Amino acid sequence: MRQDVRIVIIGGGPAGLAAAAAAAEQGVPVGDILIIERDDKLGGILNQCIHNGFGLHTFREELTGPEYAQRYIDLVEKDEIPYLLNTIVVDISKSKEAAPCGGHAGAAKNASRGYKTVTAMNSTDGMIQIRAEAVILAMGCRERPRGALNIPGYRPAGIYTAGTAQRFVNIEGRMPGREVVILGSGDIGLIMARRMTLEGAKVKVVAELMPYSGGLKRNIVQCLDDFGIPLKLSHTVVDIRGRDRVEGVTIAEVGPDRKPIPGTEEYYSCDTLLLSCGLIPENELSDGLGVGMNPVTNGPKVNESLETDVPGVFACGNVLHVHDLVDYVSEEATAAGACAARYVLEEETGAAGKQETGAADKPVTITATDGVRYTVPVSIHVDRMQETQRIRFRVGAVYRDAAIEVDFDGRPFRTWKKRIMAPGEMEQVILTKKDLAAAKGLRNITIRVVQGG
Ligand SMILES: Cc1cc2nc3c(=O)[nH]c(=O)nc-3n(C[C@H](O)[C@H](O)[C@H](O)COP(=O)(O)OP(=O)(O)OC[C@H]3O[C@@H](n4cnc5c(N)ncnc54)[C@H](O)[C@@H]3O)c2cc1C
């Protein structure tokens, strides 16, 4: 089966849904948009996040994960944007082929810059090939499994990622265990500490390798402190006891080199070990396409339009960088959808090639340094940016009474004081087009943490 559309969106989670709604809002005919989702329903991982706390920024309401996702599913349904469920994308490739695309007015002009071919599979149609002018990557992320962690000991039953346990409890209605130790203090682990407790389990301890939590402060307070669950920072699991089923784990303190300190071992009897040790953006498809990746985020490098270095391929949500709040995912995905729409629509208005990476002006690069781990985006084309540009990033340690400093070509431009910054929370600065345009010949923006600023 072969089909042509203008924009294919891979992933029907909050990012894909918001991107699709924004593309339609910008005037892309809905029949020229296609969402492809491998699960049997839209909504992404939020379908299993039944706790509240979602949507405070977007809707000024406290929603559960499924309620939040439903708001965007409703938009897609109202606009009648087509989507395929139970369909997995297995490949994206670039094509120079000058083929008409869906017979729309701009097709002939757009053909000159080539298409992307998206190959997907499902049990009804078998293999499907879809030619599209633009692709939005919105595949989300997955959890780091035990195999990616250096935990010694046997491999008995009772070891799960926190997300798998979340699915068991919230969707399948099954308890993974009764006495629980959690390794890693990412948000999913913190939320599952509370969830397991509410379901009658005893969560004995949360051990975190780093000297700070990887989760939001509000989750530490609401999910651990409120339930008297201890958080042991600079601790890791050094042994797992049990052959068939976990019987207990030993945790130990680690030094600055992250190696266990002999003599600090503590044994906890338990039947379950949950792992919440980081999320990995699902970028196998992006890699296969040859998209340039940021080694810090494991997501694509994007410009101000959230466009990767493959023209016409955009990225948003957790596949781009792991977000702390889904509200920011929706905001970013809305921008990606609007940019993809401009990419396909501008051709018709005669602005051929204007939005392609490296085409018109030379971009201003953004360098993350001195405590700032990465930035999204990594470059800005000043003539294409909106009136304001949000630059998101995370810091690499906990900073108190520090500041974020932005330099333009090595000269201080602006400083924002920050009472506290932590790796678990995303930070942002907003720059204006006016400021960037005024800095004539600007080549590089540097963003850094300044202590005591
Ligand atoms: C286990 C887990 C639990 C989480 N819990 C919380 C929480 O409690 N609170 C919170 O704020 N955030 C939570 N998050 C973060 C949450 O992922 C984001 O807030 C938000 O869901 C990200 O939206 P997204 O659309 O980028 O990704 P997702 O919601 O992950 O959606 C991506 C979608 O892409 C689909 N997909 C991936 N690859 C393909 C492919 N090849 N073909 C077709 N479809 C594909 C997936 O099936 C999925 O539906 C959790 C994340 C995980 C992994």
Side-chain angles (χ1 to χ4, degrees), residues 145-160 237-249 271 273 275:
R146 178 180 177 177
L149 304 165
N150 290 325
I151 309 174
Y154 293 112
R155 277 159 169 64
I159 305 174
Y160 307 92
V237 170
V238 291
D239 193 27
I240 298 172
R241 190 180 294 174
R243 286 260 177 174
D244 298 327
R245 172 89 201 190
V246 174
E247 290 168 11
V249 301
D271 59 17
L273 173 65
L275 306 171

PDB file of all heavy atoms in Angstrom, residues 145-160 237-249 271 273 275:
ATOM      1  N   PRO A 145      16.651   0.173  31.070  1.00  0.00           N
ATOM      2  CA  PRO A 145      16.368  -1.108  31.734  1.00  0.00           C
ATOM      3  C   PRO A 145      17.553  -1.595  32.560  1.00  0.00           C
ATOM      4  O   PRO A 145      18.631  -0.997  32.531  1.00  0.00           O
ATOM      5  CB  PRO A 145      16.138  -2.048  30.549  1.00  0.00           C
ATOM      6  CG  PRO A 145      17.008  -1.487  29.471  1.00  0.00           C
ATOM      7  CD  PRO A 145      17.089  -0.004  29.689  1.00  0.00           C
ATOM      8  N   ARG A 146      17.334  -2.715  33.275  1.00  0.00           N
ATOM      9  CA  ARG A 146      18.403  -3.234  34.124  1.00  0.00           C
ATOM     10  C   ARG A 146      19.652  -3.533  33.315  1.00  0.00           C
ATOM     11  O   ARG A 146      20.769  -3.317  33.776  1.00  0.00           O
ATOM     12  CB  ARG A 146      17.949  -4.513  34.843  1.00  0.00           C
ATOM     13  CG  ARG A 146      19.096  -5.043  35.666  1.00  0.00           C
ATOM     14  CD  ARG A 146      18.828  -6.282  36.440  1.00  0.00           C
ATOM     15  NE  ARG A 146      20.087  -6.650  37.112  1.00  0.00           N
ATOM     16  CZ  ARG A 146      20.204  -7.655  37.918  1.00  0.00           C
ATOM     17  NH1 ARG A 146      19.173  -8.403  38.195  1.00  0.00           N
ATOM     18  NH2 ARG A 146      21.375  -7.918  38.481  1.00  0.00           N
ATOM     19  N   GLY A 147      19.466  -4.051  32.090  1.00  0.00           N
ATOM     20  CA  GLY A 147      20.615  -4.425  31.275  1.00  0.00           C
ATOM     21  C   GLY A 147      21.551  -3.253  31.000  1.00  0.00           C
ATOM     22  O   GLY A 147      22.731  -3.443  30.704  1.00  0.00           O
ATOM     23  N   ALA A 148      21.008  -2.027  31.092  1.00  0.00           N
ATOM     24  CA  ALA A 148      21.841  -0.849  30.814  1.00  0.00           C
ATOM     25  C   ALA A 148      22.464  -0.305  32.101  1.00  0.00           C
ATOM     26  O   ALA A 148      23.121   0.733  32.081  1.00  0.00           O
ATOM     27  CB  ALA A 148      20.984   0.224  30.148  1.00  0.00           C
ATOM     28  N   LEU A 149      22.228  -0.987  33.219  1.00  0.00           N
ATOM     29  CA  LEU A 149      22.771  -0.519  34.507  1.00  0.00           C
ATOM     30  C   LEU A 149      23.737  -1.575  35.028  1.00  0.00           C
ATOM     31  O   LEU A 149      23.508  -2.766  34.830  1.00  0.00           O
ATOM     32  CB  LEU A 149      21.639  -0.340  35.531  1.00  0.00           C
ATOM     33  CG  LEU A 149      20.493   0.585  35.103  1.00  0.00           C
ATOM     34  CD1 LEU A 149      19.305   0.383  36.031  1.00  0.00           C
ATOM     35  CD2 LEU A 149      20.958   2.029  35.130  1.00  0.00           C
ATOM     36  N   ASN A 150      24.762  -1.152  35.704  1.00  0.00           N
ATOM     37  CA  ASN A 150      25.729  -2.134  36.213  1.00  0.00           C
ATOM     38  C   ASN A 150      25.349  -2.578  37.619  1.00  0.00           C
ATOM     39  O   ASN A 150      25.971  -2.194  38.590  1.00  0.00           O
ATOM     40  CB  ASN A 150      27.136  -1.521  36.225  1.00  0.00           C
ATOM     41  CG  ASN A 150      27.668  -1.338  34.828  1.00  0.00           C
ATOM     42  OD1 ASN A 150      27.397  -2.155  33.954  1.00  0.00           O
ATOM     43  ND2 ASN A 150      28.388  -0.253  34.607  1.00  0.00           N
ATOM     44  N   ILE A 151      24.302  -3.397  37.698  1.00  0.00           N
ATOM     45  CA  ILE A 151      23.913  -3.885  39.030  1.00  0.00           C
ATOM     46  C   ILE A 151      24.338  -5.340  39.152  1.00  0.00           C
ATOM     47  O   ILE A 151      23.898  -6.187  38.367  1.00  0.00           O
ATOM     48  CB  ILE A 151      22.391  -3.823  39.255  1.00  0.00           C
ATOM     49  CG1 ILE A 151      21.857  -2.425  38.909  1.00  0.00           C
ATOM     50  CG2 ILE A 151      22.043  -4.183  40.697  1.00  0.00           C
ATOM     51  CD1 ILE A 151      20.356  -2.335  38.971  1.00  0.00           C
ATOM     52  N   PRO A 152      25.228  -5.644  40.116  1.00  0.00           N
ATOM     53  CA  PRO A 152      25.624  -7.039  40.281  1.00  0.00           C
ATOM     54  C   PRO A 152      24.504  -7.868  40.902  1.00  0.00           C
ATOM     55  O   PRO A 152      23.480  -7.321  41.297  1.00  0.00           O
ATOM     56  CB  PRO A 152      26.835  -6.948  41.221  1.00  0.00           C
ATOM     57  CG  PRO A 152      26.734  -5.630  41.893  1.00  0.00           C
ATOM     58  CD  PRO A 152      25.830  -4.750  41.097  1.00  0.00           C
ATOM     59  N   GLY A 153      24.694  -9.160  40.986  1.00  0.00           N
ATOM     60  CA  GLY A 153      23.702 -10.037  41.620  1.00  0.00           C
ATOM     61  C   GLY A 153      22.984 -10.883  40.590  1.00  0.00           C
ATOM     62  O   GLY A 153      23.199 -10.755  39.387  1.00  0.00           O
ATOM     63  N   TYR A 154      22.098 -11.767  41.108  1.00  0.00           N
ATOM     64  CA  TYR A 154      21.332 -12.659  40.235  1.00  0.00           C
ATOM     65  C   TYR A 154      20.270 -11.882  39.465  1.00  0.00           C
ATOM     66  O   TYR A 154      20.070 -10.700  39.708  1.00  0.00           O
ATOM     67  CB  TYR A 154      20.684 -13.766  41.074  1.00  0.00           C
ATOM     68  CG  TYR A 154      21.678 -14.708  41.669  1.00  0.00           C
ATOM     69  CD1 TYR A 154      21.889 -14.746  43.045  1.00  0.00           C
ATOM     70  CD2 TYR A 154      22.402 -15.563  40.841  1.00  0.00           C
ATOM     71  CE1 TYR A 154      22.817 -15.609  43.592  1.00  0.00           C
ATOM     72  CE2 TYR A 154      23.340 -16.435  41.389  1.00  0.00           C
ATOM     73  CZ  TYR A 154      23.546 -16.454  42.763  1.00  0.00           C
ATOM     74  OH  TYR A 154      24.458 -17.302  43.293  1.00  0.00           O
ATOM     75  N   ARG A 155      19.607 -12.597  38.572  1.00  0.00           N
ATOM     76  CA  ARG A 155      18.538 -11.964  37.795  1.00  0.00           C
ATOM     77  C   ARG A 155      17.202 -12.626  38.114  1.00  0.00           C
ATOM     78  O   ARG A 155      16.587 -13.263  37.259  1.00  0.00           O
ATOM     79  CB  ARG A 155      18.856 -12.080  36.302  1.00  0.00           C
ATOM     80  CG  ARG A 155      19.790 -10.983  35.880  1.00  0.00           C
ATOM     81  CD  ARG A 155      20.560 -11.213  34.647  1.00  0.00           C
ATOM     82  NE  ARG A 155      21.210  -9.995  34.232  1.00  0.00           N
ATOM     83  CZ  ARG A 155      22.145  -9.361  34.910  1.00  0.00           C
ATOM     84  NH1 ARG A 155      22.548  -9.805  36.092  1.00  0.00           N
ATOM     85  NH2 ARG A 155      22.690  -8.251  34.441  1.00  0.00           N
ATOM     86  N   PRO A 156      16.754 -12.492  39.352  1.00  0.00           N
ATOM     87  CA  PRO A 156      15.490 -13.139  39.721  1.00  0.00           C
ATOM     88  C   PRO A 156      14.293 -12.328  39.237  1.00  0.00           C
ATOM     89  O   PRO A 156      14.451 -11.192  38.785  1.00  0.00           O
ATOM     90  CB  PRO A 156      15.547 -13.128  41.254  1.00  0.00           C
ATOM     91  CG  PRO A 156      16.383 -11.944  41.591  1.00  0.00           C
ATOM     92  CD  PRO A 156      17.358 -11.748  40.455  1.00  0.00           C
ATOM     93  N   ALA A 157      13.095 -12.904  39.376  1.00  0.00           N
ATOM     94  CA  ALA A 157      11.867 -12.149  39.094  1.00  0.00           C
ATOM     95  C   ALA A 157      11.714 -11.071  40.160  1.00  0.00           C
ATOM     96  O   ALA A 157      12.268 -11.180  41.256  1.00  0.00           O
ATOM     97  CB  ALA A 157      10.672 -13.102  39.126  1.00  0.00           C
ATOM     98  N   GLY A 158      10.956 -10.039  39.838  1.00  0.00           N
ATOM     99  CA  GLY A 158      10.695  -8.988  40.829  1.00  0.00           C
ATOM    100  C   GLY A 158      11.467  -7.708  40.573  1.00  0.00           C
ATOM    101  O   GLY A 158      11.423  -6.793  41.388  1.00  0.00           O
ATOM    102  N   ILE A 159      12.173  -7.646  39.413  1.00  0.00           N
ATOM    103  CA  ILE A 159      12.880  -6.402  39.070  1.00  0.00           C
ATOM    104  C   ILE A 159      12.172  -5.799  37.858  1.00  0.00           C
ATOM    105  O   ILE A 159      12.068  -6.439  36.807  1.00  0.00           O
ATOM    106  CB  ILE A 159      14.366  -6.671  38.736  1.00  0.00           C
ATOM    107  CG1 ILE A 159      15.033  -7.410  39.892  1.00  0.00           C
ATOM    108  CG2 ILE A 159      15.100  -5.361  38.436  1.00  0.00           C
ATOM    109  CD1 ILE A 159      16.455  -7.855  39.619  1.00  0.00           C
ATOM    110  N   TYR A 160      11.671  -4.595  38.037  1.00  0.00           N
ATOM    111  CA  TYR A 160      10.915  -3.941  36.967  1.00  0.00           C
ATOM    112  C   TYR A 160      11.379  -2.498  36.830  1.00  0.00           C
ATOM    113  O   TYR A 160      11.818  -1.893  37.807  1.00  0.00           O
ATOM    114  CB  TYR A 160       9.417  -3.866  37.315  1.00  0.00           C
ATOM    115  CG  TYR A 160       8.776  -5.157  37.690  1.00  0.00           C
ATOM    116  CD1 TYR A 160       8.707  -5.555  39.020  1.00  0.00           C
ATOM    117  CD2 TYR A 160       8.212  -5.974  36.718  1.00  0.00           C
ATOM    118  CE1 TYR A 160       8.092  -6.742  39.381  1.00  0.00           C
ATOM    119  CE2 TYR A 160       7.601  -7.160  37.067  1.00  0.00           C
ATOM    120  CZ  TYR A 160       7.550  -7.542  38.398  1.00  0.00           C
ATOM    121  OH  TYR A 160       6.946  -8.715  38.736  1.00  0.00           O
ATOM    122  N   VAL A 237      22.525   0.328  44.548  1.00  0.00           N
ATOM    123  CA  VAL A 237      22.351  -1.094  44.863  1.00  0.00           C
ATOM    124  C   VAL A 237      23.645  -1.814  44.525  1.00  0.00           C
ATOM    125  O   VAL A 237      24.154  -1.684  43.406  1.00  0.00           O
ATOM    126  CB  VAL A 237      21.168  -1.679  44.052  1.00  0.00           C
ATOM    127  CG1 VAL A 237      21.124  -3.197  44.164  1.00  0.00           C
ATOM    128  CG2 VAL A 237      19.855  -1.071  44.525  1.00  0.00           C
ATOM    129  N   VAL A 238      24.201  -2.546  45.490  1.00  0.00           N
ATOM    130  CA  VAL A 238      25.451  -3.276  45.231  1.00  0.00           C
ATOM    131  C   VAL A 238      25.233  -4.789  45.185  1.00  0.00           C
ATOM    132  O   VAL A 238      26.112  -5.525  44.756  1.00  0.00           O
ATOM    133  CB  VAL A 238      26.545  -2.925  46.270  1.00  0.00           C
ATOM    134  CG1 VAL A 238      27.017  -1.496  46.096  1.00  0.00           C
ATOM    135  CG2 VAL A 238      26.083  -3.179  47.700  1.00  0.00           C
ATOM    136  N   ASP A 239      24.062  -5.249  45.624  1.00  0.00           N
ATOM    137  CA  ASP A 239      23.806  -6.692  45.526  1.00  0.00           C
ATOM    138  C   ASP A 239      22.302  -6.956  45.552  1.00  0.00           C
ATOM    139  O   ASP A 239      21.541  -6.220  46.195  1.00  0.00           O
ATOM    140  CB  ASP A 239      24.474  -7.438  46.692  1.00  0.00           C
ATOM    141  CG  ASP A 239      24.502  -8.937  46.453  1.00  0.00           C
ATOM    142  OD1 ASP A 239      24.500  -9.348  45.267  1.00  0.00           O
ATOM    143  OD2 ASP A 239      24.506  -9.706  47.439  1.00  0.00           O
ATOM    144  N   ILE A 240      21.919  -7.986  44.799  1.00  0.00           N
ATOM    145  CA  ILE A 240      20.521  -8.423  44.803  1.00  0.00           C
ATOM    146  C   ILE A 240      20.509  -9.869  45.284  1.00  0.00           C
ATOM    147  O   ILE A 240      21.205 -10.710  44.716  1.00  0.00           O
ATOM    148  CB  ILE A 240      19.908  -8.331  43.385  1.00  0.00           C
ATOM    149  CG1 ILE A 240      19.920  -6.868  42.899  1.00  0.00           C
ATOM    150  CG2 ILE A 240      18.482  -8.876  43.368  1.00  0.00           C
ATOM    151  CD1 ILE A 240      19.529  -6.690  41.445  1.00  0.00           C
ATOM    152  N   ARG A 241      19.729 -10.145  46.326  1.00  0.00           N
ATOM    153  CA  ARG A 241      19.670 -11.520  46.825  1.00  0.00           C
ATOM    154  C   ARG A 241      18.371 -12.181  46.350  1.00  0.00           C
ATOM    155  O   ARG A 241      17.327 -11.527  46.282  1.00  0.00           O
ATOM    156  CB  ARG A 241      19.722 -11.524  48.357  1.00  0.00           C
ATOM    157  CG  ARG A 241      19.921 -12.937  48.909  1.00  0.00           C
ATOM    158  CD  ARG A 241      19.976 -12.969  50.402  1.00  0.00           C
ATOM    159  NE  ARG A 241      21.159 -12.285  50.931  1.00  0.00           N
ATOM    160  CZ  ARG A 241      21.359 -12.090  52.241  1.00  0.00           C
ATOM    161  NH1 ARG A 241      20.476 -12.512  53.122  1.00  0.00           N
ATOM    162  NH2 ARG A 241      22.441 -11.478  52.671  1.00  0.00           N
ATOM    163  N   GLY A 242      18.433 -13.481  46.083  1.00  0.00           N
ATOM    164  CA  GLY A 242      17.254 -14.229  45.619  1.00  0.00           C
ATOM    165  C   GLY A 242      17.546 -14.880  44.281  1.00  0.00           C
ATOM    166  O   GLY A 242      18.115 -14.230  43.404  1.00  0.00           O
ATOM    167  N   ARG A 243      17.152 -16.159  44.168  1.00  0.00           N
ATOM    168  CA  ARG A 243      17.399 -16.887  42.913  1.00  0.00           C
ATOM    169  C   ARG A 243      16.189 -16.810  41.985  1.00  0.00           C
ATOM    170  O   ARG A 243      16.301 -16.425  40.837  1.00  0.00           O
ATOM    171  CB  ARG A 243      17.690 -18.362  43.215  1.00  0.00           C
ATOM    172  CG  ARG A 243      19.060 -18.580  43.798  1.00  0.00           C
ATOM    173  CD  ARG A 243      19.994 -19.067  42.718  1.00  0.00           C
ATOM    174  NE  ARG A 243      21.346 -19.209  43.266  1.00  0.00           N
ATOM    175  CZ  ARG A 243      22.338 -19.719  42.592  1.00  0.00           C
ATOM    176  NH1 ARG A 243      22.164 -20.139  41.370  1.00  0.00           N
ATOM    177  NH2 ARG A 243      23.536 -19.812  43.131  1.00  0.00           N
ATOM    178  N   ASP A 244      15.002 -17.225  42.504  1.00  0.00           N
ATOM    179  CA  ASP A 244      13.799 -17.216  41.669  1.00  0.00           C
ATOM    180  C   ASP A 244      13.097 -15.871  41.742  1.00  0.00           C
ATOM    181  O   ASP A 244      12.656 -15.335  40.751  1.00  0.00           O
ATOM    182  CB  ASP A 244      12.832 -18.318  42.112  1.00  0.00           C
ATOM    183  CG  ASP A 244      13.468 -19.686  41.939  1.00  0.00           C
ATOM    184  OD1 ASP A 244      14.260 -19.837  40.993  1.00  0.00           O
ATOM    185  OD2 ASP A 244      13.210 -20.582  42.765  1.00  0.00           O
ATOM    186  N   ARG A 245      13.032 -15.328  42.993  1.00  0.00           N
ATOM    187  CA  ARG A 245      12.347 -14.052  43.206  1.00  0.00           C
ATOM    188  C   ARG A 245      13.259 -13.193  44.093  1.00  0.00           C
ATOM    189  O   ARG A 245      13.987 -13.735  44.929  1.00  0.00           O
ATOM    190  CB  ARG A 245      11.023 -14.317  43.929  1.00  0.00           C
ATOM    191  CG  ARG A 245      10.274 -13.096  44.400  1.00  0.00           C
ATOM    192  CD  ARG A 245       9.336 -12.581  43.339  1.00  0.00           C
ATOM    193  NE  ARG A 245       8.992 -11.190  43.579  1.00  0.00           N
ATOM    194  CZ  ARG A 245       8.042 -10.534  42.925  1.00  0.00           C
ATOM    195  NH1 ARG A 245       7.349 -11.147  41.995  1.00  0.00           N
ATOM    196  NH2 ARG A 245       7.793  -9.272  43.174  1.00  0.00           N
ATOM    197  N   VAL A 246      13.227 -11.905  43.909  1.00  0.00           N
ATOM    198  CA  VAL A 246      14.035 -11.026  44.758  1.00  0.00           C
ATOM    199  C   VAL A 246      13.683 -11.276  46.230  1.00  0.00           C
ATOM    200  O   VAL A 246      12.500 -11.334  46.590  1.00  0.00           O
ATOM    201  CB  VAL A 246      13.753  -9.542  44.413  1.00  0.00           C
ATOM    202  CG1 VAL A 246      14.476  -8.620  45.389  1.00  0.00           C
ATOM    203  CG2 VAL A 246      14.164  -9.214  42.992  1.00  0.00           C
ATOM    204  N   GLU A 247      14.726 -11.440  47.075  1.00  0.00           N
ATOM    205  CA  GLU A 247      14.499 -11.607  48.524  1.00  0.00           C
ATOM    206  C   GLU A 247      14.989 -10.391  49.283  1.00  0.00           C
ATOM    207  O   GLU A 247      14.575 -10.130  50.412  1.00  0.00           O
ATOM    208  CB  GLU A 247      15.234 -12.856  49.024  1.00  0.00           C
ATOM    209  CG  GLU A 247      14.612 -14.145  48.524  1.00  0.00           C
ATOM    210  CD  GLU A 247      15.496 -15.356  48.778  1.00  0.00           C
ATOM    211  OE1 GLU A 247      16.505 -15.228  49.524  1.00  0.00           O
ATOM    212  OE2 GLU A 247      15.181 -16.425  48.232  1.00  0.00           O
ATOM    213  N   GLY A 248      15.913  -9.672  48.685  1.00  0.00           N
ATOM    214  CA  GLY A 248      16.414  -8.471  49.354  1.00  0.00           C
ATOM    215  C   GLY A 248      17.490  -7.818  48.510  1.00  0.00           C
ATOM    216  O   GLY A 248      18.008  -8.423  47.560  1.00  0.00           O
ATOM    217  N   VAL A 249      17.782  -6.556  48.813  1.00  0.00           N
ATOM    218  CA  VAL A 249      18.869  -5.874  48.100  1.00  0.00           C
ATOM    219  C   VAL A 249      19.765  -5.193  49.127  1.00  0.00           C
ATOM    220  O   VAL A 249      19.319  -4.807  50.209  1.00  0.00           O
ATOM    221  CB  VAL A 249      18.361  -4.830  47.073  1.00  0.00           C
ATOM    222  CG1 VAL A 249      17.472  -5.450  46.031  1.00  0.00           C
ATOM    223  CG2 VAL A 249      17.674  -3.665  47.732  1.00  0.00           C
ATOM    224  N   ASP A 271      10.642  -7.890  48.083  1.00  0.00           N
ATOM    225  CA  ASP A 271      10.351  -8.819  46.983  1.00  0.00           C
ATOM    226  C   ASP A 271      10.364  -8.123  45.625  1.00  0.00           C
ATOM    227  O   ASP A 271      10.138  -8.758  44.595  1.00  0.00           O
ATOM    228  CB  ASP A 271       9.012  -9.552  47.215  1.00  0.00           C
ATOM    229  CG  ASP A 271       7.828  -8.602  47.351  1.00  0.00           C
ATOM    230  OD1 ASP A 271       7.964  -7.425  46.958  1.00  0.00           O
ATOM    231  OD2 ASP A 271       6.769  -9.035  47.855  1.00  0.00           O
ATOM    232  N   LEU A 273      12.245  -4.820  43.235  1.00  0.00           N
ATOM    233  CA  LEU A 273      13.164  -3.693  43.028  1.00  0.00           C
ATOM    234  C   LEU A 273      12.666  -2.941  41.797  1.00  0.00           C
ATOM    235  O   LEU A 273      12.545  -3.516  40.709  1.00  0.00           O
ATOM    236  CB  LEU A 273      14.594  -4.212  42.791  1.00  0.00           C
ATOM    237  CG  LEU A 273      15.632  -3.139  42.399  1.00  0.00           C
ATOM    238  CD1 LEU A 273      15.858  -2.134  43.539  1.00  0.00           C
ATOM    239  CD2 LEU A 273      16.967  -3.798  42.018  1.00  0.00           C
ATOM    240  N   LEU A 275      13.226   0.191  39.133  1.00  0.00           N
ATOM    241  CA  LEU A 275      14.326   0.995  38.590  1.00  0.00           C
ATOM    242  C   LEU A 275      13.778   2.266  37.956  1.00  0.00           C
ATOM    243  O   LEU A 275      12.880   2.205  37.115  1.00  0.00           O
ATOM    244  CB  LEU A 275      15.074   0.190  37.519  1.00  0.00           C
ATOM    245  CG  LEU A 275      15.578  -1.183  37.949  1.00  0.00           C
ATOM    246  CD1 LEU A 275      16.111  -1.957  36.752  1.00  0.00           C
ATOM    247  CD2 LEU A 275      16.647  -1.038  39.029  1.00  0.00           C
TER     248      LEU A 275
END
